[in-house]
């Protein structure tokens, strides 16, 4: 299963950063790639994303929510993926590490599409972290 990791230091304490990340429905404000995030009840959310003109959607379930240190999810429909945020206090605010694992259920697809997916997910993650950083700095 390919894994993509992104890391950033954000100018706020872990409680504040965690609270922002926990508002999953707000993610369309952080990147143009995420069109909608719809809360389906309990801990489930439907994500609708557009990348290179192609729309994807999947449902994820929050499987771990330990404020202010860890937030994790797994997909229950669509592209098979899991992800987790790890938050640690640092002098400048919060060290945030995002790890996303995904599989396309085919070694050929994982190798070919994976070469494109990694950079796209990294770009979107960087955009999200940049916009979160901007909001926290206000």
């Amino acid at each position: 299963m390919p894994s993509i990791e992104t890391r950033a230091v954000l100018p706020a304490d872990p409680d504040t950063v965690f609270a922002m990340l926990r508002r999953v429905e707000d993610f369309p404000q952080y990147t143009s790639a995420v069109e909608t995030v719809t809360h389906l009840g309990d801990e489930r959310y439907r994500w609708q994303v557009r990348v290179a003109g192609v729309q994807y959607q999947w449902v994820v379930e929050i499987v771990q929510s330990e404020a202010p240190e860890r937030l994790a999810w797994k997909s229950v429909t669509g592209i098979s993926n899991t992800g987790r945020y790890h938050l640690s206090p640092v002098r400048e605010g919060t060290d945030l590490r995002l790890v996303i694992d995904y599989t396309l259920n085919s070694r050929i697809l994982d190798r070919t599409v994976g070469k494109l997916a990694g950079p796209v997910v990294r770009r979107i993650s960087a955009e999200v972290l940049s916009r979160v950083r901007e909001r926290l700095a206000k």
Side-chain angles (χ1 to χ4, degrees):
M1 179 178 276
S3 185
I4 298 167
E5 183 173 334
T6 306
R7 196 172 207 144
V9 174
L10 300 174
D13 63 89
D15 286 308
T16 301
V17 174
F18 186 89
M20 283 185 77
L21 296 172
R22 197 63 177 94
R23 289 190 300 272
V24 180
E25 300 93 333
D26 289 351
F27 271 76
Q29 299 172 29
Y30 305 141
T31 175
S32 58
V34 178
E35 293 182 332
T36 61
V37 177
T38 306
H39 185 225
L40 302 175
D42 295 323
E43 292 287 355
R44 291 186 175 212
Y45 299 85
R46 178 179 298 109
W47 287 68
Q48 188 169 308
V49 176
R50 184 172 300 274
V51 176
V54 179
Q55 188 178 72
Y56 302 92
Q57 64 178 311
W58 59 88
V59 173
V60 301
E61 178 178 16
I62 304 292
V63 294
Q64 188 176 34
S65 182
E66 298 174 10
E69 298 157 350
R70 185 169 290 117
L71 181 64
W73 70 88
K74 69 174 182 175
S75 63
V76 293
T77 68
I79 297 169
S80 178
N81 71 92
T82 62
R84 56 213 169 272
Y85 288 102
H86 297 275
L87 297 85
S88 303
V90 293
R91 190 172 46 94
E92 302 89 351
T94 300
D95 178 38
L96 176 70
R97 186 171 69 118
L98 166 62
V99 179
I100 298 173
D101 302 307
Y102 69 93
T103 183
L104 301 173
N105 297 320
S106 161
R107 284 191 304 182
I108 293 171
L109 282 177
D110 277 342
R111 279 198 310 261
T112 57
V113 175
K115 289 179 183 177
L116 300 172
V120 167
V121 172
R122 280 186 189 86
R123 180 183 56 77
I124 292 169
S125 297
E127 182 180 4
V128 167
L129 292 175
S130 175
R131 289 192 181 167
V132 166
R133 183 181 290 112
E134 287 171 12
R135 280 204 172 180
L136 291 169
K138 290 181 181 180

